[in-house]
Amino acid sequence: MDYLAALFAPTVMAVAFCYLIITMIKSQGGANKYKEDAAVDAMEAARTGEGSPGARRAAD
């Protein structure tokens, strides 16, 4: 019975890890892809807005 107790935790962790990977793969693409793309576009727009010459002049 000790071998069952020793294998229980690693088995549970392996199953949980598999479900995590499956969930990550399923969440890629589809409707979620547009949300991710919009977030990346917003970050890029914010970064380029901070680096513009007008922003530097306003700070001076």
Side-chain angles (χ1 to χ4, degrees):
M1 292 309 271
D2 286 337
Y3 60 91
L4 288 178
L7 291 175
F8 181 73
T11 303
V12 170
M13 293 299 288
V15 169
F17 184 72
C18 288
Y19 278 116
L20 175 69
I21 297 300
I22 289 169
T23 303
M24 289 172 59
I25 290 171
K26 284 185 177 180
S27 70
Q28 299 298 314
N32 292 328
K33 184 172 182 3
Y34 299 115
K35 292 179 188 175
E36 293 170 2
D37 290 345
V40 170
D41 290 342
M43 283 194 311
E44 287 179 1
R47 184 185 314 181
T48 57
E50 291 174 2
S52 67
R56 288 185 198 150
R57 275 191 238 131
D60 289 335

